[in-house]
Amino acid sequence: MPARSYGKRHKEVIRNSLRSYKYVGFEIGDREELKGKSPEFPNCSASPIIRAMPNSRAPLIRFDVFEMDVESGELRRSGTRVKLPHQPFRVLELLISRPGVVWTRPEIEREVWGVETFVDFESGLNYCIKQIRAALKDDANAPRYVETLPRRGYRFIAAVERQDRESTRVHTRPMLAVIPFGNLTGAADDYFTEGLTEELIAQIARLNPAQLGVIAFTTARQYRNTDKGIGQIGRELGVDYIIEGSARRSGDRARIMVQLIQVSDQSHLWAEAYNRTLEDMIGIQIDVAERVAQSLTVNLLAKNIDAMERTSTRNSGAYEDYLKGRYYFNRRTDDDFSKARRYFEEAIRKDPNYVLAYVGLADVYAVMGLYSGLSPAMAYQEVSRLLQKALSLDETLAETQAAAGYAKLLYDWDFKGADRSFRRALTLNPNYVTGRYQYALFLAATGDFDKALEHIDSAIQLDPLSLVINSNKGWILYMARRHETAIAQLRNTLEMEQDFALARYFLGLVYLQLARYTEAAAEFQKAKKASENHPASISGLAVAAALGGKPSQARKGLQALENLQTQRYVTPYYSALIHAALGDKYQALLCLKRACEDRSAFLTNMKNDPALDPLRKDLRFVRLMKRAGLG
């Protein structure tokens, strides 16, 4: 076997082996022959035994959000590498080789350490299991992956998928990421560099989606001002190429540096400097997109180049306001939504034909209507007006079709129309992440969970660090009653951002279905704090109290929602959930009727919402389902 370098722990193993005349993981010859052959230990020489694992081992092993690359010895979670030392990796690989089967400690000792084991095997294995659980964020008391069977051994309990490495390469298109441009002007211009990055991503994604996948801005944004190298970013995102650059602005002119890098050898395929006016930003974006296509031998589609021209504006003031609108919309707070709305409105005033400004403003109203920032009636009125104008300007853009599909779902309750719009959006641009995950939510509302998960997984591939998309995968799993998998998904989302209110709220809903009311209340409390008293979290706390045998506390939640209505819109849907948990079907159905009259977007999920199960056999509920287009 070829010699390998060993870290501190392996050196300790060698010392213990020599002291006890027992050797683990090493082929040791006659002790006289070993003298002087190791620089660390002059009296010893050793080479590792690589014991053959079971034949079922595959080059790529997937379970839940994790992937084990046996060839490189890497463990990745949602595309991001997870630190796991060599020996614990081998133990995990062994357990996964036969999922559901108990591996006894002697069997693990024989397969991983070897027949002759050093005296501290027990602590060595305990160390490995501890490291595995830390890497997987697994709980020994409530395991999702590695289960301990006292006095017997361990077994891997999650579903495992094995995939041949070559087969994945044949069917995978090249992937590219545009990491946020460096801001050489100053902090006040962050909106400009972030907006420029987001716009460039959108333009390159239109090139030829069948031949090139592009990581979405939400994920790329995480690498703003990063000190990570190109190789590490490429591995974490699973991309083949990276575009990086910088921008310096002075008045109405900007100097922009751009370069395309191949991740595998970090070679620069091309670099360019642009010194243009703000009116010519679209010219820069199209030029960069064309050079990317030429370098990667991607077929340029004339209709997509034409779409690049149509989506932008030559009005520098409108362009700048649009960038500010996207910047504040991406921050996702009530105050930032208000700022985004003002900037999109100003962009439209300066250029009444700026189609993406209409879509951006429609997105703001749609989200505010969905999460109780506005009443559904007010939101729908504005969304409908804006999309009618956007579609009249250009109905051949994925952005306009997806926004239309979302509005048809949330406010029109036109499921057939929504399906047509979403399908057309994804035909126009399969790289359009927003349309893909919104379509997944549509499919979940109709009960087609397998397709919904397929589309949400495609969205995650393009935007793996999106908290919204990862949380919504948890929601889809909750709707599908796959509660344990939903918990795993939402916990992994919260590892990216522990204060993300949406994931906390969804996790609380899952715990309610499993009758884990104390844990549910804890999640709702965290969601309440993170969301600054959002009515959904107040409702969740009250439902947990009602189901946990605290009706008086639940009724206080009803009063809190009523008081909150003096400050903002609160959908009656939240009160309906509390009444249903209290067993008061009459009041629950009355609240749902009012929510239906308000055209609350949450009623689009009536067909499968687990929280509404206590009401399903009531004829009044069936009639409400029909009114919502789900009968």
Side-chain angles (χ1 to χ4, degrees):
M1 295 285 182
R4 290 189 181 182
S5 60
Y6 286 83
K8 180 179 178 182
R9 177 162 179 79
H10 292 88
K11 293 171 184 176
E12 291 173 355
V13 171
I14 295 173
R15 286 196 189 96
N16 291 335
S17 299
L18 291 174
R19 288 172 185 157
S20 64
Y21 296 99
K22 291 187 177 181
Y23 311 101
V24 57
F26 298 92
E27 292 175 338
I28 307 295
D30 184 275
R31 295 183 71 238
E32 292 302 317
E33 296 177 3
L34 300 177
K35 292 181 180 180
K37 294 185 179 180
S38 169
E40 178 67 25
F41 303 102
N43 294 319
C44 132
S45 172
S47 61
I49 294 176
I50 307 299
R51 300 186 62 83
M53 296 298 238
N55 293 331
S56 59
R57 186 173 73 178
L60 290 177
I61 303 171
R62 293 189 174 92
F63 56 96
D64 197 11
V65 296
F66 291 92
E67 179 183 85
M68 286 186 72
D69 189 330
V70 175
E71 184 177 296
S72 65
E74 293 180 332
L75 176 68
R76 291 182 285 269
R77 180 177 61 242
S78 299
T80 301
R81 186 176 178 181
V82 178
K83 184 178 180 181
L84 186 63
H86 173 68
Q87 198 77 342
F89 184 94
R90 293 182 65 202
V91 172
L92 177 59
E93 185 185 351
L94 178 70
L95 297 178
I96 287 179
S97 69
R98 294 167 64 194
V101 174
V102 178
W103 285 90
T104 65
R105 294 177 77 91
E107 286 174 333
I108 297 172
E109 177 182 5
R110 182 179 66 250
E111 293 294 334
V112 178
W113 271 263
V115 178
E116 295 182 316
T117 306
F118 75 103
V119 292
D120 203 19
F121 162 73
E122 294 294 328
S123 61
L125 179 56
N126 292 339
Y127 164 83
C128 287
I129 296 297
K130 182 178 180 181
Q131 290 291 305
I132 291 169
R133 288 208 168 102
L136 302 181
K137 303 295 183 184
D138 205 11
D139 185 349
N141 296 318
R144 290 174 286 161
Y145 307 112
V146 178
E147 180 184 23
T148 301
L149 288 87
R151 294 183 298 278
R152 291 185 62 194
Y154 304 92
R155 68 179 165 194
F156 194 82
I157 57 177
V160 173
E161 174 190 354
R162 295 178 176 85
Q163 192 165 15
D164 181 72
R165 179 181 302 276
E166 293 305 317
S167 65
T168 61
R169 286 175 177 167
V170 169
H171 301 289
T172 302
R173 58 186 173 166
M175 295 292 295
L176 177 144
V178 182
I179 59 177
F181 279 35
N183 177 10
L184 303 182
T185 306
D189 258 15
D190 280 347
Y191 77 89
F192 179 76
T193 49
E194 283 203 13
L196 180 62
T197 304
E198 185 174 10
E199 278 288 275
L200 187 56
I201 288 171
Q203 299 291 25
I204 295 175
R206 291 189 181 96
L207 278 176
N208 192 329
Q211 294 186 357
L212 180 67
V214 182
I215 295 296
F217 174 70
T218 313
T219 287
R221 189 185 189 190
Q222 310 301 315
Y223 293 92
R224 180 171 175 259
N225 298 326
T226 184
D227 57 359
K228 295 179 179 179
I230 292 296
Q232 183 176 354
I233 296 173
R235 287 191 299 272
E236 290 178 355
L237 295 180
V239 297
D240 306 284
Y241 304 94
I242 287 177
I243 287 179
E244 65 174 359
S246 62
R248 184 190 300 276
R249 200 166 69 104
S250 177
D252 67 344
R253 298 195 67 85
R255 179 173 174 79
I256 297 170
M257 301 286 294
V258 189
Q259 57 184 351
L260 175 65
I261 303 169
Q262 182 168 277
V263 172
S264 60
D265 58 3
Q266 298 184 40
S267 60
H268 291 62
L269 301 183
W270 59 263
E272 188 64 75
Y274 300 90
N275 195 345
R276 309 273 185 89
T277 62
L278 295 185
E279 282 90 345
D280 201 27
M281 285 299 102
I282 183 62
I284 294 176
Q285 294 162 16
I286 291 177
D287 186 69
V288 169
E290 289 176 338
R291 295 199 65 175
V292 167
Q294 293 166 5
S295 298
L296 306 185
T297 64
V298 172
N299 293 329
L300 283 169
L301 302 180
K303 62 179 182 179
N304 292 347
I305 293 295
D306 183 49
M308 293 180 191
E309 287 279 2
R310 297 196 313 272
T311 57
S312 197
T313 177
R314 296 290 179 179
N315 185 306
S316 61
Y319 178 72
E320 195 163 359
D321 286 328
Y322 173 75
L323 294 186
K324 290 179 180 178
R326 297 304 308 180
Y327 177 78
Y328 286 109
F329 179 74
N330 287 331
R331 292 172 62 152
R332 298 280 174 142
T333 69
D334 287 343
D335 184 52
D336 288 319
F337 283 142
S338 296
K339 291 179 182 177
R341 183 171 56 184
R342 290 197 299 272
Y343 280 118
F344 284 134
E345 288 171 344
E346 190 61 20
I348 291 170
R349 187 188 67 80
K350 293 175 180 176
D351 183 353
N353 294 318
Y354 196 177
V355 62
L356 289 187
Y358 287 98
V359 174
L361 188 54
D363 285 343
V364 172
Y365 279 111
V367 173
M368 292 180 72
L370 177 60
Y371 293 113
S372 295
L374 291 173
S375 70
M378 183 180 295
Y380 173 68
Q381 180 180 357
E382 291 301 315
V383 169
S384 179
R385 175 182 65 84
L386 292 162
L387 290 181
Q388 184 177 2
K389 177 63 175 179
L391 288 165
S392 71
L393 289 170
D394 195 337
E395 64 172 12
T396 65
L397 294 177
E399 289 87 345
T400 56
Q401 288 297 329
Y406 205 42
K408 290 173 184 175
L409 169 65
L410 296 183
Y411 302 115
D412 286 335
W413 298 347
D414 176 6
F415 286 83
K416 290 183 179 179
D419 187 45
R420 285 194 299 269
S421 293
F422 281 128
R423 285 175 180 271
R424 189 174 181 196
L426 296 178
T427 298
L428 289 165
N429 185 2
N431 280 332
Y432 187 50
V433 175
T434 300
R436 192 166 289 282
Y437 95 77
Q438 289 175 345
Y439 189 41
L441 294 177
F442 163 83
L443 291 166
T446 63
D448 195 345
F449 297 114
D450 288 338
K451 283 188 179 179
L453 289 168
E454 179 184 328
H455 281 278
I456 201 79
D457 283 341
S458 295
I460 289 174
Q461 182 185 25
L462 292 168
D463 203 353
L465 301 184
S466 168
L467 297 172
V468 171
I469 297 175
N470 276 282
S471 296
N472 276 306
K473 181 177 180 180
W475 165 260
I476 292 171
L477 290 165
Y478 160 74
M479 291 270 283
R481 270 76 167 175
R482 303 177 191 180
H483 298 313
E484 293 299 335
T485 310
I487 290 172
Q489 172 65 27
L490 292 166
R491 282 177 173 172
N492 283 320
T493 304
L494 289 166
E495 286 173 17
M496 292 189 277
E497 174 52 68
Q498 65 177 354
D499 294 326
F500 193 59
L502 189 64
R504 290 286 180 196
Y505 176 68
F506 288 163
L507 186 54
L509 293 179
V510 179
Y511 283 143
L512 288 179
Q513 293 303 307
L514 297 175
R516 294 160 64 172
Y517 305 128
T518 301
E519 291 169 274
E523 295 301 328
F524 291 134
Q525 188 62 51
K526 291 174 183 176
K528 184 171 181 281
K529 180 179 179 181
S531 65
E532 299 180 350
N533 213 36
H534 192 277
S537 56
I538 296 173
S539 172
L541 281 166
V543 171
L547 296 176
K550 302 174 183 177
S552 60
Q553 189 174 328
R555 292 189 178 92
K556 289 180 181 179
L558 285 169
Q559 185 61 51
L561 289 179
E562 187 174 330
N563 295 338
L564 195 60
Q565 287 177 357
T566 62
Q567 305 170 34
R568 62 181 298 167
Y569 173 78
V570 178
T571 173
Y573 167 83
Y574 293 137
S575 296
L577 297 183
I578 302 173
H579 285 298
L582 287 167
D584 189 345
K585 290 186 179 181
Y586 175 79
Q587 286 297 330
L589 289 163
L590 195 62
C591 288
L592 284 180
K593 182 181 178 182
R594 290 204 301 270
C596 191
E597 291 166 353
D598 284 358
R599 300 195 77 80
S600 172
F602 290 101
L603 296 195
T604 59
N605 294 305
M606 286 180 68
K607 182 178 180 180
N608 301 291
D609 189 346
L612 299 178
D613 284 353
L615 309 174
R616 294 197 182 281
K617 294 182 180 180
D618 195 296
L619 289 177
R620 291 167 294 181
F621 183 85
V622 175
R623 286 196 291 269
L624 284 174
M625 286 262 293
K626 290 181 179 179
R627 285 185 62 181
L630 292 165

